[in-house]
């Protein structure tokens, strides 16, 4: 199978790396700025062919648009002027509906890898759940072949539910990371490092995931309605008003939940 | 060594279990409500002697006050009227200063296990970092003997830095758990479960801890200043205003951080 990945960000590179190292598929990266993609791919020793969008193969089996949400439509319009009519085209966005592709008679769909990707940090795609969406049987078969070849977990999911997962992922991933950043800021002021919290953080996550209902295992001063400790913590944070404000807002939300 | 643990909550039970199963120390639990402590201890098959505070041994080597922050002082006043003058007394609180014990000539200090404890969920204490504080050499020796016998990691830490760790722990543990609870609420409305996010959550935590500076690995729409996605997510959350509000507030804080 011939796959063209459009993009040079963390998702594009991670997908390219996964395909190039674990499948027998032929993989190209097509990017607006081929040099940028080449620099990253060289660092990873990727056996892929890198070109600009205008120069990529016109007859690949699957085109994967792995660009920022707001650029998907534009890239799609470029692609369909360039590639064969019967080529399959998918995007990788959690938030963007399949409707972004309009109503043309094309094989269009979604290949959403539910993971947080960072440049130069390669994720084993076998550990990533993929959520797929496709309107026609041909693309459905292509997508299943792709995720099976990657040995990834996968499921079909329509656009609305995929959006729910993406919103949830912002809370569970981006906001969780921000909570750790806030914790690190507090520790940093005392010359301490986030690593002291490692066992605590790992137990918190294990407990929440095992419970399957994190609110049922909520702990802490706000859960106990321990206003004395909350007051002392807020006083402690008086020199970092942005942390103090966040502490108060989230504590209040937790207390309200358990009223 | 003879240890009396005062309390019947999750910390008391976890410490009692740790001492009773991994050390040769003799352990008593003394609680205001011995029956409550007994019910829990029986479920865990704990070989401890359970009594009320007034009836506990007067000559133990160490008394560990593992009660809620606001009850520490009262329990301490009860204890010193009952136990020998040379007994060591510590509390287990992250927030409460050593000054809670007043200025009497007693061996007083702190044995703070940095972990989140829940009833009926037993933690291996060897994975828990203990932070110790003591004013006199005798208690210092006793505390080191205790944590070494538990095979736990430990360090000395004065009250102010311990408070910083506790504030950080609220962000990293309690608030992180709440973010997962919010994610679960979003998923629940669509008939999905937090378990779909497990690989994402685990990668988020690994990345943050490995970076030693979570803000440096922040991702997500707010990090990218992707107001279009943020707007779509807020629109998606319109039926759960409390989630929408939290989404907006934290997104704004992240955007401000990267201005």
């Amino acid at each position: 199978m011939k796959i063209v990945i459009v993009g040079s960000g963390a998702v594009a590179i991670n997908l390219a790396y996964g395909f190039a190292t674990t499948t027998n598929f032929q993989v190209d990266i097509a990017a607006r700025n081929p040099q940028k993609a080449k620099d990253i791919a060289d660092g990873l020793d990727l056996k892929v062919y890198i070109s600009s969008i205008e120069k990529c193969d016109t007859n690949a089996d699957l085109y994967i648009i792995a660009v920022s949400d707001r650029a998907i439509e534009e890239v799609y319009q470029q692609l369909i002027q360039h590639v064969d009519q019967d080529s399959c085209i998918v995007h990788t966005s959690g938030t963007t509906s399949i409707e972004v592709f309009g109503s043309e008679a094309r094989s269009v769909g979604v290949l959403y890898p539910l993971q947080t990707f960072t440049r130069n940090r390669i994720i084993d795609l076998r550990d990533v759940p993929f959520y797929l969406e496709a309107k026609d049987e041909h693309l459905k078969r292509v997508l299943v072949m792709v995720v099976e070849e990657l040995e990834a977990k996968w499921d079909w999911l329509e656009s609305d539910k995929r959006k729910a997962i993406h919103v949830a992922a912002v809370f569970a991933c981006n906001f969780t990371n921000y909570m750790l950043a806030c914790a690190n800021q507090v520790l940093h002021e005392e010359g301490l490092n986030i690593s002291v919290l490692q066992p605590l953080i790992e137990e918190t996550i294990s407990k929440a995931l095992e419970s399957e209902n994190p609110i049922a295992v909520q702990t802490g001063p706000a859960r106990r309605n321990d206003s004395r400790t909350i007051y002392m913590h807020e006083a402690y944070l008086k020199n970092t008003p942005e942390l103090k404000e966040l502490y108060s807002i989230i504590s209040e939300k937790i207390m309200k939940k358990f009223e």
Side-chain angles (χ1 to χ4, degrees), chain A residues 34-60:
Chain A
Q35 190 55 47
K36 189 176 146 205
K38 201 170 177 313
D39 289 346
I40 302 166
D42 282 352
L44 296 169
D45 193 22
L46 270 186
K47 287 178 200 68
V48 297
Y49 167 75
I50 294 170
S51 66
S52 63
I53 298 183
E54 297 77 17
K55 289 183 188 157
C56 72
D57 259 4
T58 60
N59 62 347

Short mmCIF file of all heavy atoms in Angstrom, two decimals, chain A residues 34-60:
data_model
loop_
_atom_site.label_atom_id
_atom_site.label_comp_id
_atom_site.label_asym_id
_atom_site.label_seq_id
_atom_site.Cartn_x
_atom_site.Cartn_y
_atom_site.Cartn_z
N PRO A 34 9.19 21.13 2.68
CA PRO A 34 9.81 19.81 2.71
C PRO A 34 11.10 19.79 3.52
O PRO A 34 11.44 18.78 4.14
CB PRO A 34 10.11 19.52 1.23
CG PRO A 34 9.27 20.46 0.45
CD PRO A 34 9.09 21.67 1.31
N GLN A 35 11.81 20.91 3.56
CA GLN A 35 13.07 20.93 4.29
C GLN A 35 12.85 20.69 5.78
O GLN A 35 13.58 19.95 6.43
CB GLN A 35 13.80 22.26 4.06
CG GLN A 35 15.24 22.27 4.57
CD GLN A 35 16.08 21.12 3.99
OE1 GLN A 35 16.06 20.88 2.79
NE2 GLN A 35 16.78 20.38 4.85
N LYS A 36 11.78 21.31 6.31
CA LYS A 36 11.46 21.15 7.74
C LYS A 36 11.16 19.68 8.04
O LYS A 36 11.64 19.12 9.02
CB LYS A 36 10.23 22.03 8.06
CG LYS A 36 9.92 22.15 9.54
CD LYS A 36 8.76 23.12 9.74
CE LYS A 36 7.89 22.72 10.92
NZ LYS A 36 6.53 23.23 10.81
N ALA A 37 10.36 19.08 7.17
CA ALA A 37 10.03 17.66 7.35
C ALA A 37 11.29 16.81 7.23
O ALA A 37 11.49 15.85 7.99
CB ALA A 37 9.00 17.23 6.31
N LYS A 38 12.16 17.18 6.28
CA LYS A 38 13.38 16.40 6.05
C LYS A 38 14.30 16.45 7.27
O LYS A 38 14.87 15.44 7.68
CB LYS A 38 14.10 16.96 4.81
CG LYS A 38 15.05 15.99 4.17
CD LYS A 38 15.55 16.48 2.83
CE LYS A 38 16.56 15.51 2.25
NZ LYS A 38 17.60 15.08 3.19
N ASP A 39 14.41 17.64 7.87
CA ASP A 39 15.28 17.78 9.04
C ASP A 39 14.83 16.83 10.15
O ASP A 39 15.65 16.20 10.82
CB ASP A 39 15.23 19.22 9.57
CG ASP A 39 15.95 20.18 8.62
OD1 ASP A 39 16.67 19.68 7.73
OD2 ASP A 39 15.75 21.40 8.77
N ILE A 40 13.51 16.77 10.36
CA ILE A 40 13.00 15.92 11.43
C ILE A 40 13.19 14.45 11.05
O ILE A 40 13.67 13.65 11.84
CB ILE A 40 11.50 16.20 11.69
CG1 ILE A 40 11.32 17.69 12.03
CG2 ILE A 40 10.98 15.33 12.81
CD1 ILE A 40 9.88 18.14 11.99
N ALA A 41 12.81 14.12 9.81
CA ALA A 41 12.87 12.72 9.38
C ALA A 41 14.31 12.21 9.39
O ALA A 41 14.57 11.07 9.78
CB ALA A 41 12.25 12.58 8.00
N ASP A 42 15.25 13.04 9.00
CA ASP A 42 16.66 12.63 9.02
C ASP A 42 17.10 12.28 10.43
O ASP A 42 17.78 11.30 10.66
CB ASP A 42 17.55 13.75 8.45
CG ASP A 42 17.49 13.79 6.93
OD1 ASP A 42 16.88 12.87 6.35
OD2 ASP A 42 18.03 14.75 6.33
N GLY A 43 16.69 13.11 11.38
CA GLY A 43 17.05 12.87 12.78
C GLY A 43 16.53 11.53 13.27
O GLY A 43 17.08 10.93 14.18
N LEU A 44 15.44 11.07 12.67
CA LEU A 44 14.83 9.80 13.09
C LEU A 44 15.23 8.65 12.19
O LEU A 44 14.77 7.53 12.38
CB LEU A 44 13.30 9.94 13.08
CG LEU A 44 12.74 10.95 14.08
CD1 LEU A 44 11.27 11.20 13.79
CD2 LEU A 44 12.91 10.43 15.50
N ASP A 45 16.06 8.93 11.21
CA ASP A 45 16.49 7.90 10.27
C ASP A 45 15.27 7.22 9.62
O ASP A 45 15.11 6.00 9.68
CB ASP A 45 17.38 6.87 10.99
CG ASP A 45 18.08 5.99 9.97
OD1 ASP A 45 18.21 6.41 8.80
OD2 ASP A 45 18.49 4.87 10.34
N LEU A 46 14.41 8.04 9.07
CA LEU A 46 13.18 7.54 8.46
C LEU A 46 13.38 7.22 6.99
O LEU A 46 13.91 8.04 6.24
CB LEU A 46 12.08 8.62 8.55
CG LEU A 46 11.20 8.61 9.78
CD1 LEU A 46 10.09 9.62 9.62
CD2 LEU A 46 10.63 7.22 10.02
N LYS A 47 12.94 6.02 6.59
CA LYS A 47 13.02 5.68 5.18
C LYS A 47 11.73 6.13 4.49
O LYS A 47 10.87 5.32 4.15
CB LYS A 47 13.22 4.18 5.02
CG LYS A 47 14.63 3.76 5.38
CD LYS A 47 14.81 2.26 5.26
CE LYS A 47 16.01 1.82 6.06
NZ LYS A 47 15.81 1.97 7.54
N VAL A 48 11.58 7.41 4.32
CA VAL A 48 10.41 7.93 3.62
C VAL A 48 10.88 8.89 2.53
O VAL A 48 11.99 9.42 2.59
CB VAL A 48 9.45 8.68 4.57
CG1 VAL A 48 8.88 7.75 5.62
CG2 VAL A 48 10.14 9.86 5.24
N TYR A 49 10.01 9.08 1.56
CA TYR A 49 10.31 10.03 0.49
C TYR A 49 9.62 11.34 0.84
O TYR A 49 8.43 11.35 1.20
CB TYR A 49 9.79 9.46 -0.83
CG TYR A 49 9.77 10.46 -1.95
CD1 TYR A 49 10.95 10.85 -2.58
CD2 TYR A 49 8.56 11.00 -2.39
CE1 TYR A 49 10.92 11.78 -3.60
CE2 TYR A 49 8.52 11.91 -3.42
CZ TYR A 49 9.71 12.31 -4.02
OH TYR A 49 9.68 13.22 -5.03
N ILE A 50 10.36 12.41 0.79
CA ILE A 50 9.78 13.70 1.21
C ILE A 50 9.66 14.65 0.02
O ILE A 50 10.62 14.85 -0.72
CB ILE A 50 10.63 14.34 2.32
CG1 ILE A 50 10.53 13.44 3.57
CG2 ILE A 50 10.16 15.74 2.64
CD1 ILE A 50 11.47 13.79 4.66
N SER A 51 8.48 15.18 -0.14
CA SER A 51 8.25 16.10 -1.26
C SER A 51 7.32 17.22 -0.81
O SER A 51 6.80 17.20 0.30
CB SER A 51 7.61 15.35 -2.42
OG SER A 51 6.31 14.92 -2.03
N SER A 52 7.10 18.18 -1.69
CA SER A 52 6.08 19.18 -1.41
C SER A 52 4.73 18.61 -1.86
O SER A 52 4.68 17.64 -2.62
CB SER A 52 6.38 20.47 -2.15
OG SER A 52 6.34 20.22 -3.54
N ILE A 53 3.65 19.18 -1.37
CA ILE A 53 2.32 18.65 -1.70
C ILE A 53 2.12 18.57 -3.21
O ILE A 53 1.58 17.59 -3.72
CB ILE A 53 1.21 19.53 -1.08
CG1 ILE A 53 1.32 19.54 0.45
CG2 ILE A 53 -0.17 19.02 -1.49
CD1 ILE A 53 0.24 20.33 1.14
N GLU A 54 2.60 19.61 -3.90
CA GLU A 54 2.36 19.65 -5.35
C GLU A 54 3.11 18.55 -6.09
O GLU A 54 2.77 18.21 -7.22
CB GLU A 54 2.79 21.02 -5.92
CG GLU A 54 2.00 22.20 -5.38
CD GLU A 54 2.45 22.60 -3.97
OE1 GLU A 54 3.56 22.18 -3.56
OE2 GLU A 54 1.68 23.29 -3.27
N LYS A 55 4.15 18.03 -5.46
CA LYS A 55 4.98 17.05 -6.16
C LYS A 55 4.77 15.61 -5.68
O LYS A 55 5.45 14.70 -6.15
CB LYS A 55 6.46 17.42 -6.00
CG LYS A 55 6.85 18.66 -6.79
CD LYS A 55 8.33 18.94 -6.65
CE LYS A 55 8.69 20.29 -7.26
NZ LYS A 55 9.93 20.82 -6.71
N CYS A 56 3.85 15.43 -4.73
CA CYS A 56 3.69 14.07 -4.20
C CYS A 56 2.97 13.19 -5.22
O CYS A 56 2.31 13.69 -6.14
CB CYS A 56 2.95 14.09 -2.87
SG CYS A 56 1.20 14.46 -3.00
N ASP A 57 3.10 11.88 -5.04
CA ASP A 57 2.44 10.91 -5.91
C ASP A 57 0.95 11.22 -6.09
O ASP A 57 0.28 11.57 -5.12
CB ASP A 57 2.55 9.51 -5.30
CG ASP A 57 3.65 8.71 -5.99
OD1 ASP A 57 4.33 9.29 -6.86
OD2 ASP A 57 3.80 7.53 -5.65
N THR A 58 0.46 11.02 -7.28
CA THR A 58 -0.97 11.30 -7.51
C THR A 58 -1.83 10.06 -7.30
O THR A 58 -3.05 10.17 -7.23
CB THR A 58 -1.20 11.81 -8.94
OG1 THR A 58 -0.75 10.80 -9.84
CG2 THR A 58 -0.47 13.11 -9.19
N ASN A 59 -1.20 8.89 -7.19
CA ASN A 59 -2.00 7.66 -7.15
C ASN A 59 -1.77 6.81 -5.90
O ASN A 59 -1.80 5.58 -5.96
CB ASN A 59 -1.72 6.82 -8.40
CG ASN A 59 -0.25 6.42 -8.47
OD1 ASN A 59 0.57 6.95 -7.72
ND2 ASN A 59 0.06 5.50 -9.35
N ALA A 60 -1.51 7.48 -4.76
CA ALA A 60 -1.36 6.72 -3.52
C ALA A 60 -2.71 6.13 -3.11
O ALA A 60 -3.77 6.62 -3.55
CB ALA A 60 -0.82 7.62 -2.41
#
